[in-house]
Amino acid sequence: MPFEAFARTHARGAILHYLRDSVALVRLPRRLEEEAQRLCQTSAPQNSHEQWVQATYRAKNRWQPLPMNLQAPAKTGLSMMLNAERRETVQQAFAGLAAKDRQAVNAVVIEGRRLRNVGSSLGVSAMTVQRRV
């Protein structure tokens, strides 16, 4: 096998692995990304909207674990306290979503429906539902 053929496949694989591993956990809308990057380059945020944009941008690479009682039963006081805090954080994040996004997340993640079915019931494409989720 010639070196070019060998190197091409391995270089492509290394690039794809790097891109997959460095992508954000949550993909924010381009408008929000650009606004957050502009705010990061300028001075401190001036109002609550700018603070929210920066907080959202900074939090896109962090996981928020689900409550442990949804994963496995736990009976200790510490685990119950952690579960309550996690549940509250998840509920606040869910409540902070726009109505259309909340509806999409509820249908796809919580109810387990397919993107195409949710899209047809909402009158949008499956790709739009995926973006909302």
Side-chain angles (χ1 to χ4, degrees):
M1 172 186 328
F3 177 74
E4 291 83 15
F6 172 80
R8 182 181 307 121
T9 57
H10 286 285
R12 182 177 185 275
I15 291 170
L16 290 175
H17 282 293
Y18 171 77
L19 293 174
R20 182 198 64 212
D21 293 342
S22 65
V23 72
L25 298 174
V26 176
R27 298 198 110 184
L28 299 175
R30 181 178 294 160
R31 175 187 47 78
L32 189 65
E33 286 268 350
E34 290 172 353
E35 185 177 355
Q37 290 172 357
R38 180 186 54 79
L39 287 172
C40 288
Q41 293 173 355
T42 62
S43 62
Q46 301 296 322
N47 56 37
S48 61
H49 173 72
E50 291 180 354
Q51 290 174 348
W52 175 80
V53 168
Q54 280 192 337
T56 303
Y57 182 71
R58 289 185 182 127
K60 72 177 185 174
N61 289 325
R62 290 191 314 229
W63 284 100
Q64 180 60 47
L66 288 174
M68 293 298 289
N69 62 351
L70 296 179
Q71 300 172 14
K75 301 294 182 196
T76 66
L78 178 62
S79 65
M80 291 172 62
M81 183 179 71
L82 288 173
N83 288 342
E85 289 175 4
R86 289 176 179 161
R87 188 177 307 108
E88 183 178 328
T89 303
V90 169
Q91 287 173 345
Q92 287 174 352
F94 190 70
L97 293 174
K100 292 178 180 180
D101 296 342
R102 189 173 35 248
Q103 192 176 18
V105 169
N106 185 48
V108 174
V109 176
I110 297 174
E111 295 175 9
R113 295 172 50 197
R114 296 179 183 268
L115 294 173
R116 187 169 294 177
N117 294 344
V118 174
S120 64
S121 68
L122 296 177
V124 297
S125 69
M127 184 57 73
T128 301
V129 174
Q130 183 179 9
R131 285 188 199 112
R132 289 178 182 173
V133 170

Short mmCIF file of all heavy atoms in Angstrom, two decimals, residues 36-81:
data_model
loop_
_atom_site.label_atom_id
_atom_site.label_comp_id
_atom_site.label_asym_id
_atom_site.label_seq_id
_atom_site.Cartn_x
_atom_site.Cartn_y
_atom_site.Cartn_z
N ALA A 36 -22.21 36.11 22.24
CA ALA A 36 -21.40 35.77 23.41
C ALA A 36 -19.92 36.01 23.15
O ALA A 36 -19.21 36.52 24.01
CB ALA A 36 -21.65 34.31 23.80
N GLN A 37 -19.46 35.65 21.97
CA GLN A 37 -18.05 35.88 21.64
C GLN A 37 -17.74 37.37 21.58
O GLN A 37 -16.68 37.81 22.02
CB GLN A 37 -17.71 35.19 20.32
CG GLN A 37 -17.69 33.69 20.45
CD GLN A 37 -17.53 32.99 19.12
OE1 GLN A 37 -17.48 33.61 18.07
NE2 GLN A 37 -17.47 31.67 19.17
N ARG A 38 -18.68 38.16 21.06
CA ARG A 38 -18.49 39.61 21.02
C ARG A 38 -18.44 40.17 22.44
O ARG A 38 -17.59 40.99 22.76
CB ARG A 38 -19.63 40.26 20.24
CG ARG A 38 -19.54 41.78 20.16
CD ARG A 38 -20.76 42.41 19.51
NE ARG A 38 -22.02 42.05 20.14
CZ ARG A 38 -22.50 42.59 21.26
NH1 ARG A 38 -21.80 43.50 21.90
NH2 ARG A 38 -23.66 42.21 21.76
N LEU A 39 -19.32 39.67 23.31
CA LEU A 39 -19.33 40.14 24.70
C LEU A 39 -18.06 39.75 25.44
O LEU A 39 -17.59 40.50 26.29
CB LEU A 39 -20.56 39.59 25.43
CG LEU A 39 -21.89 40.21 25.05
CD1 LEU A 39 -23.03 39.44 25.70
CD2 LEU A 39 -21.94 41.66 25.45
N CYS A 40 -17.53 38.58 25.13
CA CYS A 40 -16.30 38.14 25.80
C CYS A 40 -15.12 39.02 25.41
O CYS A 40 -14.19 39.19 26.20
CB CYS A 40 -16.01 36.68 25.46
SG CYS A 40 -17.14 35.53 26.26
N GLN A 41 -15.14 39.55 24.21
CA GLN A 41 -14.04 40.39 23.75
C GLN A 41 -14.16 41.82 24.25
O GLN A 41 -13.17 42.53 24.35
CB GLN A 41 -13.98 40.39 22.23
CG GLN A 41 -13.61 39.05 21.66
CD GLN A 41 -13.73 39.02 20.14
OE1 GLN A 41 -14.18 39.98 19.53
NE2 GLN A 41 -13.33 37.91 19.54
N THR A 42 -15.37 42.25 24.56
CA THR A 42 -15.57 43.62 25.02
C THR A 42 -15.57 43.66 26.55
O THR A 42 -15.12 42.74 27.20
CB THR A 42 -16.90 44.19 24.47
OG1 THR A 42 -17.97 43.40 24.98
CG2 THR A 42 -16.90 44.19 22.96
N SER A 43 -16.14 44.68 27.09
CA SER A 43 -16.15 44.85 28.55
C SER A 43 -17.17 43.94 29.21
O SER A 43 -17.78 43.09 28.57
CB SER A 43 -16.47 46.31 28.88
OG SER A 43 -17.76 46.62 28.39
N ALA A 44 -17.39 44.16 30.49
CA ALA A 44 -18.32 43.36 31.27
C ALA A 44 -19.74 43.55 30.75
O ALA A 44 -20.07 44.58 30.16
CB ALA A 44 -18.24 43.77 32.74
N PRO A 45 -20.62 42.55 30.96
CA PRO A 45 -22.00 42.68 30.48
C PRO A 45 -22.71 43.87 31.14
O PRO A 45 -22.51 44.15 32.32
CB PRO A 45 -22.65 41.36 30.89
CG PRO A 45 -21.69 40.66 31.76
CD PRO A 45 -20.36 41.30 31.60
N GLN A 46 -23.52 44.54 30.35
CA GLN A 46 -24.20 45.75 30.80
C GLN A 46 -25.58 45.49 31.39
O GLN A 46 -26.04 46.24 32.24
CB GLN A 46 -24.32 46.74 29.63
CG GLN A 46 -22.99 47.14 29.04
CD GLN A 46 -22.13 47.90 30.02
OE1 GLN A 46 -22.61 48.70 30.80
NE2 GLN A 46 -20.84 47.61 30.01
N ASN A 47 -26.27 44.45 30.92
CA ASN A 47 -27.63 44.21 31.40
C ASN A 47 -27.85 42.71 31.63
O ASN A 47 -26.96 41.90 31.41
CB ASN A 47 -28.66 44.77 30.41
CG ASN A 47 -28.48 44.21 29.02
OD1 ASN A 47 -28.16 43.04 28.85
ND2 ASN A 47 -28.67 45.05 28.01
N SER A 48 -29.05 42.37 32.06
CA SER A 48 -29.34 40.97 32.40
C SER A 48 -29.30 40.06 31.18
O SER A 48 -28.90 38.90 31.28
CB SER A 48 -30.68 40.87 33.10
OG SER A 48 -31.71 41.33 32.24
N HIS A 49 -29.70 40.57 30.02
CA HIS A 49 -29.66 39.75 28.81
C HIS A 49 -28.22 39.38 28.47
O HIS A 49 -27.93 38.22 28.15
CB HIS A 49 -30.31 40.49 27.63
CG HIS A 49 -30.14 39.77 26.33
ND1 HIS A 49 -30.83 38.61 26.03
CD2 HIS A 49 -29.35 40.01 25.26
CE1 HIS A 49 -30.47 38.18 24.83
NE2 HIS A 49 -29.57 39.02 24.34
N GLU A 50 -27.32 40.34 28.54
CA GLU A 50 -25.92 40.06 28.24
C GLU A 50 -25.32 39.10 29.27
O GLU A 50 -24.52 38.24 28.92
CB GLU A 50 -25.12 41.36 28.17
CG GLU A 50 -25.48 42.22 26.96
CD GLU A 50 -24.70 43.51 26.89
OE1 GLU A 50 -23.94 43.82 27.84
OE2 GLU A 50 -24.84 44.22 25.88
N GLN A 51 -25.72 39.22 30.52
CA GLN A 51 -25.26 38.28 31.55
C GLN A 51 -25.76 36.87 31.24
O GLN A 51 -25.03 35.90 31.37
CB GLN A 51 -25.73 38.72 32.93
CG GLN A 51 -25.07 39.98 33.43
CD GLN A 51 -25.67 40.47 34.73
OE1 GLN A 51 -26.73 40.01 35.16
NE2 GLN A 51 -25.00 41.43 35.35
N TRP A 52 -27.03 36.77 30.83
CA TRP A 52 -27.60 35.48 30.49
C TRP A 52 -26.87 34.87 29.30
O TRP A 52 -26.58 33.67 29.29
CB TRP A 52 -29.09 35.63 30.19
CG TRP A 52 -29.71 34.36 29.71
CD1 TRP A 52 -30.13 33.31 30.46
CD2 TRP A 52 -29.96 34.00 28.35
NE1 TRP A 52 -30.62 32.32 29.66
CE2 TRP A 52 -30.54 32.71 28.36
CE3 TRP A 52 -29.76 34.64 27.14
CZ2 TRP A 52 -30.91 32.06 27.20
CZ3 TRP A 52 -30.13 33.98 25.97
CH2 TRP A 52 -30.70 32.70 26.02
N VAL A 53 -26.57 35.68 28.28
CA VAL A 53 -25.87 35.18 27.09
C VAL A 53 -24.51 34.63 27.49
O VAL A 53 -24.12 33.53 27.07
CB VAL A 53 -25.72 36.30 26.03
CG1 VAL A 53 -24.75 35.90 24.94
CG2 VAL A 53 -27.08 36.64 25.42
N GLN A 54 -23.77 35.37 28.31
CA GLN A 54 -22.45 34.88 28.73
C GLN A 54 -22.55 33.63 29.57
O GLN A 54 -21.76 32.69 29.41
CB GLN A 54 -21.70 35.98 29.49
CG GLN A 54 -21.06 36.99 28.57
CD GLN A 54 -20.09 37.90 29.31
OE1 GLN A 54 -20.19 38.08 30.53
NE2 GLN A 54 -19.16 38.48 28.58
N ALA A 55 -23.52 33.57 30.49
CA ALA A 55 -23.68 32.38 31.34
C ALA A 55 -24.04 31.16 30.49
O ALA A 55 -23.51 30.06 30.72
CB ALA A 55 -24.74 32.64 32.39
N THR A 56 -24.91 31.34 29.52
CA THR A 56 -25.29 30.24 28.64
C THR A 56 -24.10 29.76 27.82
O THR A 56 -23.88 28.57 27.66
CB THR A 56 -26.42 30.69 27.69
OG1 THR A 56 -27.51 31.17 28.48
CG2 THR A 56 -26.90 29.56 26.81
N TYR A 57 -23.32 30.70 27.33
CA TYR A 57 -22.15 30.36 26.53
C TYR A 57 -21.12 29.60 27.36
O TYR A 57 -20.53 28.62 26.90
CB TYR A 57 -21.54 31.64 25.95
CG TYR A 57 -20.35 31.41 25.05
CD1 TYR A 57 -20.51 30.85 23.80
CD2 TYR A 57 -19.07 31.76 25.46
CE1 TYR A 57 -19.43 30.65 22.96
CE2 TYR A 57 -17.98 31.56 24.62
CZ TYR A 57 -18.17 31.00 23.38
OH TYR A 57 -17.11 30.79 22.56
N ARG A 58 -20.92 30.02 28.59
CA ARG A 58 -19.93 29.35 29.45
C ARG A 58 -20.41 27.97 29.89
O ARG A 58 -19.60 27.09 30.16
CB ARG A 58 -19.64 30.22 30.66
CG ARG A 58 -18.83 31.44 30.31
CD ARG A 58 -18.45 32.23 31.54
NE ARG A 58 -17.71 33.41 31.16
CZ ARG A 58 -18.01 34.64 31.54
NH1 ARG A 58 -19.02 34.85 32.34
NH2 ARG A 58 -17.29 35.66 31.13
N ALA A 59 -21.72 27.77 30.01
CA ALA A 59 -22.26 26.51 30.52
C ALA A 59 -22.46 25.46 29.44
O ALA A 59 -22.83 24.34 29.75
CB ALA A 59 -23.59 26.78 31.22
N LYS A 60 -22.18 25.78 28.18
CA LYS A 60 -22.49 24.83 27.11
C LYS A 60 -21.60 23.59 27.13
O LYS A 60 -21.94 22.58 26.54
CB LYS A 60 -22.42 25.51 25.75
CG LYS A 60 -21.03 25.84 25.29
CD LYS A 60 -21.06 26.45 23.92
CE LYS A 60 -19.64 26.65 23.43
NZ LYS A 60 -19.62 27.10 22.06
N ASN A 61 -20.46 23.64 27.81
CA ASN A 61 -19.56 22.49 27.85
C ASN A 61 -19.65 21.71 29.16
O ASN A 61 -18.80 20.88 29.44
CB ASN A 61 -18.12 22.94 27.63
CG ASN A 61 -17.88 23.36 26.21
OD1 ASN A 61 -18.45 22.79 25.29
ND2 ASN A 61 -17.06 24.37 26.01
N ARG A 62 -20.66 21.99 29.95
CA ARG A 62 -20.80 21.29 31.23
C ARG A 62 -22.00 20.37 31.21
O ARG A 62 -23.06 20.72 30.73
CB ARG A 62 -20.96 22.30 32.37
CG ARG A 62 -19.72 23.08 32.66
CD ARG A 62 -19.88 23.85 33.94
NE ARG A 62 -21.17 24.52 33.98
CZ ARG A 62 -21.35 25.78 34.30
NH1 ARG A 62 -20.34 26.52 34.62
NH2 ARG A 62 -22.55 26.32 34.31
N TRP A 63 -21.83 19.21 31.79
CA TRP A 63 -22.94 18.27 31.97
C TRP A 63 -23.66 18.61 33.25
O TRP A 63 -23.04 18.95 34.25
CB TRP A 63 -22.42 16.84 32.08
CG TRP A 63 -22.00 16.24 30.79
CD1 TRP A 63 -20.72 16.13 30.34
CD2 TRP A 63 -22.83 15.69 29.79
NE1 TRP A 63 -20.71 15.53 29.12
CE2 TRP A 63 -21.99 15.25 28.75
CE3 TRP A 63 -24.19 15.52 29.66
CZ2 TRP A 63 -22.49 14.64 27.61
CZ3 TRP A 63 -24.68 14.91 28.53
CH2 TRP A 63 -23.83 14.48 27.52
N GLN A 64 -24.96 18.47 33.26
CA GLN A 64 -25.73 18.57 34.49
C GLN A 64 -26.35 17.20 34.71
O GLN A 64 -27.22 16.78 33.96
CB GLN A 64 -26.84 19.64 34.36
CG GLN A 64 -27.68 19.80 35.59
CD GLN A 64 -26.85 20.22 36.79
OE1 GLN A 64 -26.05 21.11 36.71
NE2 GLN A 64 -27.05 19.54 37.90
N PRO A 65 -25.86 16.46 35.72
CA PRO A 65 -26.36 15.09 35.89
C PRO A 65 -27.83 15.06 36.29
O PRO A 65 -28.32 15.97 36.95
CB PRO A 65 -25.47 14.54 37.01
CG PRO A 65 -24.99 15.74 37.74
CD PRO A 65 -24.90 16.84 36.74
N LEU A 66 -28.51 14.00 35.87
CA LEU A 66 -29.89 13.80 36.28
C LEU A 66 -29.92 13.32 37.72
O LEU A 66 -28.94 12.76 38.22
CB LEU A 66 -30.56 12.76 35.38
CG LEU A 66 -30.85 13.22 33.97
CD1 LEU A 66 -31.38 12.06 33.14
CD2 LEU A 66 -31.85 14.36 33.96
N PRO A 67 -31.03 13.50 38.42
CA PRO A 67 -31.12 13.00 39.79
C PRO A 67 -30.85 11.50 39.86
O PRO A 67 -31.25 10.75 38.97
CB PRO A 67 -32.57 13.32 40.18
CG PRO A 67 -32.97 14.43 39.28
CD PRO A 67 -32.23 14.21 38.00
N MET A 68 -30.17 11.11 40.92
CA MET A 68 -29.78 9.70 41.06
C MET A 68 -30.99 8.78 41.17
O MET A 68 -30.92 7.63 40.76
CB MET A 68 -28.88 9.53 42.29
CG MET A 68 -27.53 10.20 42.16
SD MET A 68 -26.55 9.54 40.82
CE MET A 68 -26.14 7.95 41.50
N ASN A 69 -32.11 9.27 41.73
CA ASN A 69 -33.25 8.37 41.89
C ASN A 69 -33.86 7.97 40.54
O ASN A 69 -34.62 7.02 40.47
CB ASN A 69 -34.32 8.99 42.79
CG ASN A 69 -34.89 10.28 42.21
OD1 ASN A 69 -34.40 10.79 41.21
ND2 ASN A 69 -35.92 10.78 42.84
N LEU A 70 -33.52 8.68 39.47
CA LEU A 70 -33.95 8.26 38.15
C LEU A 70 -33.01 7.20 37.59
O LEU A 70 -33.36 6.51 36.65
CB LEU A 70 -34.00 9.46 37.21
CG LEU A 70 -35.03 10.53 37.56
CD1 LEU A 70 -34.95 11.68 36.56
CD2 LEU A 70 -36.43 9.96 37.60
N GLN A 71 -31.82 7.10 38.16
CA GLN A 71 -30.84 6.13 37.68
C GLN A 71 -30.85 4.86 38.52
O GLN A 71 -30.84 3.77 38.01
CB GLN A 71 -29.45 6.75 37.71
CG GLN A 71 -29.34 7.97 36.83
CD GLN A 71 -28.02 8.68 37.01
OE1 GLN A 71 -27.09 8.13 37.58
NE2 GLN A 71 -27.93 9.90 36.55
N ALA A 72 -30.85 5.00 39.84
CA ALA A 72 -30.85 3.86 40.74
C ALA A 72 -31.38 4.33 42.09
O ALA A 72 -31.16 5.47 42.48
CB ALA A 72 -29.44 3.29 40.90
N PRO A 73 -32.06 3.47 42.81
CA PRO A 73 -32.59 3.90 44.10
C PRO A 73 -31.47 4.18 45.10
O PRO A 73 -30.48 3.47 45.16
CB PRO A 73 -33.45 2.71 44.56
CG PRO A 73 -33.04 1.56 43.72
CD PRO A 73 -32.45 2.11 42.46
N ALA A 74 -31.64 5.24 45.89
CA ALA A 74 -30.66 5.62 46.91
C ALA A 74 -31.41 6.05 48.16
O ALA A 74 -32.39 6.78 48.07
CB ALA A 74 -29.77 6.74 46.40
N LYS A 75 -30.94 5.64 49.32
CA LYS A 75 -31.67 5.90 50.55
C LYS A 75 -30.91 6.75 51.56
O LYS A 75 -31.45 7.08 52.59
CB LYS A 75 -32.04 4.55 51.22
CG LYS A 75 -32.88 3.65 50.35
CD LYS A 75 -34.23 4.22 50.09
CE LYS A 75 -35.06 3.25 49.27
NZ LYS A 75 -36.20 3.84 48.67
N THR A 76 -29.66 7.11 51.30
CA THR A 76 -28.90 7.86 52.29
C THR A 76 -29.34 9.32 52.28
O THR A 76 -29.85 9.84 51.28
CB THR A 76 -27.39 7.79 52.00
OG1 THR A 76 -27.12 8.48 50.78
CG2 THR A 76 -26.91 6.36 51.92
N GLY A 77 -29.13 10.00 53.40
CA GLY A 77 -29.51 11.41 53.52
C GLY A 77 -28.74 12.29 52.55
O GLY A 77 -29.30 13.21 51.95
N LEU A 78 -27.44 12.00 52.38
CA LEU A 78 -26.62 12.80 51.48
C LEU A 78 -27.10 12.64 50.04
O LEU A 78 -27.24 13.63 49.31
CB LEU A 78 -25.15 12.39 51.59
CG LEU A 78 -24.19 13.11 50.65
CD1 LEU A 78 -24.19 14.61 50.95
CD2 LEU A 78 -22.79 12.55 50.80
N SER A 79 -27.37 11.41 49.62
CA SER A 79 -27.83 11.20 48.24
C SER A 79 -29.20 11.84 48.02
O SER A 79 -29.47 12.37 46.94
CB SER A 79 -27.87 9.73 47.90
OG SER A 79 -28.83 9.06 48.67
N MET A 80 -30.05 11.82 49.04
CA MET A 80 -31.36 12.47 48.90
C MET A 80 -31.22 13.98 48.76
O MET A 80 -31.92 14.62 47.97
CB MET A 80 -32.26 12.11 50.08
CG MET A 80 -32.68 10.64 50.08
SD MET A 80 -33.55 10.12 51.57
CE MET A 80 -34.99 11.15 51.51
N MET A 81 -30.26 14.56 49.49
CA MET A 81 -30.02 16.00 49.39
C MET A 81 -29.45 16.35 48.01
O MET A 81 -29.88 17.31 47.38
CB MET A 81 -29.05 16.45 50.48
CG MET A 81 -28.80 17.95 50.49
SD MET A 81 -27.67 18.46 51.78
CE MET A 81 -26.13 17.81 51.17
#
